[in-house]
Amino acid sequence: MTALVTGANRGIGLQLVRGYAADGDSPIGTHRGGAAPQVPGVRWETLDVTEPASQAALAHTLAAHPIDLLVCNAGLYLDGGENLAVGYPPEMWAQMFATNVTGVFLTVQSLLPNLQLSAAPKIAIISSQMASHTRAPGRSYIYRSSKAAALNLGRNLATDLKPLGIAVGIYHPGWVKTEMGGESAEITAEQASAGLRARFAALSLETTGCFETWDGHPHAY
């Protein structure tokens, strides 16, 4: 199986490609530039998910290369410490939505021909429980809004791509001990990766459009 994971140079994305390589699959990890991690069995490609030219370059590089699983993992969380009275500048809204929402759409759009070359293609979108309308403790307005938009995007992609035989799932990866999640988080990146890979394996056209947690529970939209 060929799995392509965006934002795979650290955190959950890195553990996902490590796990697929250890299983004998053929993972492709993307990163924005610089030195890629040295992981045996992983092919690295450069991709800035927000840049159409970068998307086109990757699509050209991977032309006629089937992708069985596309994991849209690249994301930003920049507003955790912002203050409502004076924070959340417009530039931050634009930057985070460009990565967390538009970047997902552009990646799916540019690699759609590769997915259609697979016998059973799947798309996994990493959202968050913070996207759900059932969780509204305040703060982190940009991150919550962008992940809610990614959830909505995934649900609608599931509808349009089902006739093409492409299943789409949206996932909460857990509160993970990464640079984004912090050291006080609940689970490790290894635990999150193992759970998510099980969820991706279970995804099918029958369950397309699902919003699930890393450990297999349906999540309220």
Side-chain angles (χ1 to χ4, degrees), residues 6-202:
T6 65
N9 56 307
R10 62 182 180 178
I12 298 169
L14 181 56
Q15 292 304 321
L16 284 171
V17 293
R18 280 177 172 160
Y20 283 122
D23 287 346
D25 293 315
S26 303
I28 301 171
T30 77
H31 62 115
R32 284 187 293 178
Q38 297 299 306
V39 182
V42 177
R43 171 179 172 177
W44 291 99
E45 298 290 348
T46 302
L47 175 65
D48 183 336
V49 297
T50 70
E51 292 292 339
S54 182
Q55 293 279 5
L58 178 63
H60 177 75
T61 298
L62 297 178
H65 191 299
I67 293 175
D68 303 299
L69 171 65
L70 171 60
V71 183
C72 296
N73 167 74
L76 291 177
Y77 184 11
L78 305 177
D79 64 330
E82 292 293 300
N83 179 279
L84 177 58
V86 296
Y88 304 97
E91 297 80 6
M92 186 178 289
W93 282 89
Q95 184 180 5
M96 289 177 63
F97 265 77
T99 299
N100 296 356
V101 187
T102 309
V104 173
F105 178 80
L106 292 177
T107 304
V108 171
Q109 187 178 54
S110 65
L111 297 179
L112 186 57
N114 304 83
L115 288 161
Q116 291 180 284
L117 293 174
S118 170
K122 303 179 184 182
I123 298 170
I125 296 173
I126 303 302
S127 179
S128 170
Q129 66 181 4
M130 294 168 73
S132 174
H133 75 278
T134 63
R135 298 180 62 88
R139 303 183 63 86
S140 300
Y141 304 116
I142 308 176
Y143 186 76
R144 293 180 191 280
S145 298
S146 67
K147 287 301 186 180
L151 170 58
N152 184 276
L153 172 62
R155 293 276 291 166
N156 283 280
L157 284 170
T159 297
D160 286 338
L161 295 178
K162 186 174 183 178
L164 300 180
I166 301 174
V168 181
I170 307 100
Y171 301 93
H172 165 55
W175 185 16
V176 187
K177 294 180 180 179
T178 60
E179 183 178 336
M180 182 183 293
E183 284 303 313
S184 60
E186 297 173 343
I187 61 173
T188 66
E190 291 83 359
Q191 289 173 303
S193 169
L196 288 170
R197 286 190 290 116
R199 302 284 71 71
F200 304 161

